[in-house]
Amino acid sequence: ILLCYAGEPAEGTRLTAALRTMPGLMMDQVGPIPFTRIDEVAQDPVDPLPHTLWATMTSALDDSTIAQLARIAPRGAAPYTIAEVRHVGGGARPEPDRLGLAHWSGDFLLTTISVTPEPAALAAAEELGDRLDAAFAGASTGMTPLNFTDGPQRVARAFTAAHLARLRDIKRAYDPAGIFGGDRSIMSTVDGADAG
């Protein structure tokens, strides 16, 4: 269980007390850290490695959703390194006409991360992603936060259609040569372009 409480340490200690005293606890690294170390919460590798990921947002997390995830991606029997359910529904949200980003589309993020050192591992991880997409089609909002998109074909899922269209118009007007971009191109699925 990964958690973050952005408030007074004493209140964080109180709020996590029941969780941290559960029987069978194997590791407890909860404690105050500066924001510059927030990446340590997920214990991600610090060195680059080949990987792919699948993710989607959902508005509800019920027994059926959990059972589906356990059935399709059981521990030790599926091509992923990490499977997570993240509660991201806290905090204030913008007005409905400003909801352009995927992470405001639901309260939970379902994700798997797979290390893919060879083509066969990548193919297996992508096939798992296809099965997860099919399984959660009814529960998913159809959106994925940008930092959980992998590959240009999924970038469009990070924005509402209107927001993405506006970003693409801005891109065409101010960066037609694709000087600014990165590994998550907003233009790769339109105009036949591959520029960021």
Side-chain angles (χ1 to χ4, degrees):
I1 296 176
L2 312 178
L3 59 90
C4 176
Y5 175 73
E8 292 298 320
E11 180 65 359
T13 298
R14 184 189 72 77
L15 291 171
T16 59
L19 180 66
R20 298 172 69 194
T21 55
M22 289 178 64
L25 187 68
M26 296 174 64
M27 178 172 52
D28 179 358
Q29 294 181 312
V30 173
I33 59 171
F35 183 74
T36 53
R37 292 176 49 203
I38 195 69
D39 58 329
E40 294 177 19
V41 172
Q43 298 180 349
D44 290 333
V46 295
D47 296 320
L49 76 164
H51 73 282
T52 189
L53 53 85
W54 169 87
T56 196
M57 294 293 298
T58 182
S59 297
L61 182 67
D62 55 21
D63 289 345
S64 173
T65 304
I66 294 168
Q68 284 250 63
L69 189 59
R71 179 180 58 79
I72 297 167
R75 185 178 177 93
Y80 64 84
T81 307
I82 298 170
E84 290 182 353
V85 176
R86 296 189 181 198
H87 181 224
V88 295
R93 295 187 179 203
E95 294 300 314
D97 63 337
R98 306 292 291 177
L99 293 175
L101 301 176
H103 58 266
W104 286 314
S105 72
D107 290 328
F108 298 92
L109 170 74
L110 309 179
T111 184
T112 61
I113 303 167
S114 304
V115 176
T116 54
E118 69 276 326
L122 179 60
E126 289 175 343
E127 191 272 334
L128 172 65
D130 291 343
R131 284 191 287 131
L132 289 166
D133 273 337
F136 292 110
S140 170
T141 66
M143 301 184 76
T144 304
L146 186 60
N147 55 323
F148 285 88
T149 61
D150 188 20
Q153 70 277 12
R154 297 183 71 92
V155 170
R157 293 178 60 167
F159 310 98
T160 60
H163 196 83
L164 182 62
R166 183 167 178 258
L167 287 174
R168 286 173 169 166
D169 286 345
I170 293 168
K171 182 75 171 173
R172 287 185 193 100
Y174 295 101
D175 187 27
I179 302 300
F180 301 100
D183 63 348
R184 294 176 175 93
S185 170
I186 62 168
M187 301 302 284
S188 58
T189 57
V190 294
D191 297 345
D194 223 1

